[in-house]
Structure formats: C-alpha cells, structure tokens
Amino acid sequence: MSSIPVLPFASIGVHRRVPALLVVSGVLLSGCATPQNPDPIESVNRKTFALNEGLDKVVLKPVATVYKTVVPTPVRSGVTNFFSNLGDPWSGANLLLQGRFKDGLSDFARFGTNSTVGLLGFMDVATGWGMPRHGDGFSDTLGVWGVGGGAYVVLPLFGPSDLRSTASIPVNSYGNLTGQLDDVGARNAFTIVGMVDKRANLLDVTKMVDEVALDKYLFVRDAYLQRRAQREADRSGAPRVESDAPKPEAARLNAAERETPNP
C-alpha cells in the first residue's frame, strides 16, 4: 500500500482500452448538450434519480446513519482521511498529465507524508504542512486536454455525473489504489466502507437539501454543474461561473463533496 502505483496506461489490457475510450467519449461529448440545455435527457435522468433516491432511503442512508451514530467522530475522520489518501497518488498522476507538475509532485509528497507521519493516512498532517488535497481524476485531465463535459447524466448508484466523467469511471477505478487490490473480497469491502463513510459525511447536507429544495433533482443538478464550472474556471484562471442554484446551499453541498473521496 505504501508504494506509488504504476500508471494504468502501462498495464496490459488497460492501455489498449484507453484510446478506444477517448474516441468513444469524444463522439458522445459532441452530442446535443448545449450551455443553454445541459440536460437533454432530463426525463430519463429524473427516473434514475428517483431510483437512486429509493435505494438511498432503503439501504445506504440507514446504514450511514447507524455508522455515524455508532462510530466516534475522530474514528470517522480517520476513515475519511484514509480513503482520501488512497486517491492522492492518482490525483498526482493526473496533475502531471495536465502539466501541473508542482501540484502533481505535491500530491505524491502528500501521500508519502500522510502514509508515514500520518499513520497510513488516518491523520492528514500534509494539509497543515502546505500540501493541500487536489482530488483530480481522469475527467479533469480530459477537460484540460480539451474534452468538454458534455450532457448531464444521472448514473444508477453513482448519482450526478456527465458524459466525460462517465467515460472516466473505468480509468479512475483502476488508477485509485483500491483498484490495485488483487483480492476481490478486500476490494469490495474497501469500496463499501468508502461509500458508507462518504454517505455519512453528507447526511447533514442532504437533510438540508431535503428541507429547502422545492425540486431536489434541479437543485442537485445545478449544484453539480456549478461545481464543474468552478473547477474548469479554476484550471483556466478565468472568473468563476455561477449557476442558478441557491448559492449558500449549493456551496455547502459542493464543499461537502470536495471533502469526501472520489468514487
């Protein structure tokens, strides 16, 4: 776990699929989505959103609630830090691919620092030492390479996304250290614990959304698109672009998502 993984492009099988993935994503992203209409399949998305809400209500939310109630806050913070730490080498690799060498090397140094001084990542000492978490994935790299986000989509289980992020899921799954585990049972266990921890971190935010949003689907969609616009503005150095989502609530939702590990 302490070694930095080889980039997935060097792995037999995966490197053969990456070019095809980029071609397919390029075709998909040239579809009918526009800045004025980023959600051309809203009717389908709403059905998937309702399905996810039902699964969350029956399964994930109750489990996350018990987890938050039973597990002490310091332990939960340590678990969140641990999973964030597992994603830092992949973030560093993507930052290097984007040409952000200083930030990329910082994420590798962050991983090394937290994995040793931070006790396998359960403590985040690197942030206080001037090495903030960037959390970049392959979707961010594609964005730097000129691939647009494309249409907004809601994925079963994964939730809010867009075509670029959807096309990046297989690459991100392999690039994260959890994806390097050969034992399927261990990999699934890590994935489940990570999902429960992330959901527990969002319990207060989603409760607030339930209370204030007249249309929860629109609220979540606008918050997602606002976050995407902010990340793209940050990369380009342009002024941040705001959406029509309620500003304080959307900002809190985005902040909470940034503090949790990427799937």
Side-chain angles (χ1 to χ4, degrees):
M1 277 294 181
S2 60
S3 61
I4 296 174
V6 177
L7 286 178
F9 308 105
S11 174
I12 296 175
V14 174
H15 83 280
R16 295 175 181 173
R17 292 194 292 269
V18 169
L21 177 65
L22 294 178
V23 172
V24 172
S25 64
V27 173
L28 291 173
L29 298 177
S30 62
C32 55
T34 65
Q36 293 74 29
N37 182 28
D39 188 7
I41 55 170
E42 180 177 343
S43 60
V44 176
N45 283 336
R46 281 187 177 273
K47 293 177 181 177
T48 307
F49 182 83
L51 172 64
N52 288 343
E53 287 286 287
L55 291 174
D56 181 71
K57 181 178 180 180
V58 173
V59 180
L60 193 54
K61 184 177 179 180
V63 173
T65 301
V66 172
Y67 170 79
K68 185 175 181 179
T69 302
V70 173
V71 180
T73 300
V75 177
R76 286 190 282 107
S77 297
V79 172
T80 300
N81 291 336
F82 174 78
F83 282 104
S84 295
N85 189 56
L86 293 181
D88 283 340
W90 181 234
S91 174
N94 276 282
L95 289 167
L96 293 180
L97 291 173
Q98 297 169 27
R100 296 167 58 186
F101 299 108
K102 181 179 179 180
D103 289 339
L105 293 175
S106 173
D107 271 9
F108 283 119
R110 172 186 171 84
F111 173 73
T113 300
N114 283 340
S115 297
T116 53
V117 181
L119 304 177
L120 298 179
F122 284 96
M123 295 175 59
D124 179 11
V125 298
T127 298
W129 291 0
M131 292 173 278
R133 178 176 183 259
H134 295 96
D136 277 44
F138 193 59
S139 177
D140 298 298
T141 300
L142 290 177
V144 171
W145 291 352
V147 180
Y152 175 77
V153 294
V154 180
L155 302 176
L157 298 179
F158 285 92
S161 185
D162 55 38
L163 289 178
R164 184 179 68 202
S165 295
T166 301
S168 303
I169 288 176
V171 182
N172 283 330
S173 297
Y174 186 85
N176 192 290
L177 281 181
T178 304
Q180 305 293 317
L181 294 174
D182 293 327
D183 189 294
V184 176
R187 187 165 64 242
N188 290 340
F190 270 72
T191 301
I192 292 171
V193 173
M195 289 177 61
V196 172
D197 180 71
K198 182 173 183 177
R199 184 64 183 91
N201 289 335
L202 291 171
L203 281 173
D204 291 339
V205 177
T206 53
K207 179 182 178 181
M208 175 272 299
V209 173
D210 289 335
E211 293 173 349
V212 303
L214 297 177
D215 187 329
K216 188 174 181 179
Y217 171 83
L218 291 180
F219 184 98
V220 173
R221 183 193 69 185
D222 289 348
Y224 177 88
L225 293 175
Q226 178 182 333
R227 184 190 180 198
R228 185 178 75 176
Q230 287 176 347
R231 290 183 69 88
E232 291 175 349
D234 288 342
R235 287 196 298 266
S236 66
R240 291 191 170 194
V241 179
E242 299 291 341
S243 76
D244 294 331
K247 300 303 186 295
E249 292 80 4
R252 288 177 60 186
L253 178 60
N254 289 332
E257 289 178 340
R258 284 196 299 271
E259 291 302 316
T260 55
N262 294 326

